[in-house]
Amino acid sequence: MPILVLAVRRMRQPRGLAIRIGIAAVALLGFSALHITGMVWVRKLALWLAGSAYDFHFSLAVILYEFRKDAVTASLLGATLWLIESRRELRKAARAAMFMPAAPLEQPPPGLIWLRDGASRIRVAPRDILWVASAGNYIEYSLADGTRRLIRGTLAATENDLARFAIVRVHRTRLANLDRVRGVEFKPSGDFELTFDTGQTLGGSRRYRPAVASLGDRTALCESPPKAPDSR
């Protein structure tokens, strides 16, 4: 048994297949040689004490016959020892994990959000978002580089998520990034038009005019001139 225990532990170490086969072959030969020799002498001793004698009939055929039996026995014992060693290592790893400090959860980089585009996820800086518009069961992100991303969701949920980035509702179907607005034009009807630092524009509804009221301190505000009265 010590031969098999040592062989199994050596074979479980990171080694090549040829080395493992060699270790198994040496262990099997050693196991069989000791087993055959030991059993012969045990029988000789037992029969000598009983006043008789034991003749092993040493021959190649007898050795091969005994070796085949030992090969099956050694294989079963080796497999059992392998399972025992695997269980012992698992318990050892579990005990080590109990005393190992938990790894801190990976935190997303500050100021970044994830957008799901089909089966993939895209990380976007809120600064790069110009506006977000409702598109049926989806919402469309318009980015500063001209790309657009369709994400399944609702505008109401998106509004709650992006409010902390100064991305607010300016229309029933649109949100705008106020940090990217460089101008706002108010219409006589009460509606307004936002101009972003990219030169793109976006219309807003008078219902949400208070949302852009604070832009007066940082944007170029302009009012549409009233129509001249008809002189006729």
Side-chain angles (χ1 to χ4, degrees), residues 150-199:
L150 270 179
I151 310 299
R152 191 172 184 86
T154 64
L155 196 65
T158 304
E159 180 183 10
N160 292 333
D161 293 339
L162 300 181
R164 65 184 187 277
F165 301 115
I167 300 177
V168 300
R169 190 183 293 261
V170 296
H171 188 273
R172 183 177 59 84
T173 62
R174 292 187 286 272
L175 310 176
N177 188 346
L178 300 187
D179 286 341
R180 301 297 298 257
V181 174
R182 291 296 174 266
V184 56
E185 178 183 358
F186 294 105
K187 308 292 185 179
S189 62
D191 295 340
F192 53 91
E193 185 177 78
L194 303 174
T195 302
F196 297 95
D197 52 10
T198 60

Side-chain angles (χ1 to χ4, degrees), residues 15-80:
R15 299 176 185 274
L17 179 61
I19 296 178
R20 291 183 174 182
I21 293 175
I23 294 173
V26 171
L28 177 57
L29 290 174
F31 175 87
S32 182
L34 287 177
H35 183 243
I36 293 173
T37 303
M39 290 306 297
V40 167
W41 284 104
V42 166
R43 289 170 182 171
K44 283 182 175 291
L45 177 61
L47 290 176
W48 177 77
L49 292 175
S52 182
Y54 173 74
D55 187 6
F56 178 59
H57 300 294
F58 181 84
S59 67
L60 180 60
V62 174
I63 293 298
L64 289 178
Y65 172 75
E66 296 292 340
F67 178 78
R68 286 197 299 268
K69 293 194 298 181
D70 288 342
V72 174
T73 303
S75 298
L76 294 175
L77 291 174
T80 303

Side-chain angles (χ1 to χ4, degrees), residues 97-108:
M98 291 177 60
F99 297 100
M100 185 180 297
L105 295 176
E106 181 181 358
Q107 297 295 331

Side-chain angles (χ1 to χ4, degrees), residues 22 24 33 64 82 115 124 133 139 152 199 206 218:
L64 289 178
W82 188 284
L115 304 181
V124 174
I139 50 176
R152 191 172 184 86
R206 61 182 177 181
R218 49 178 173 169

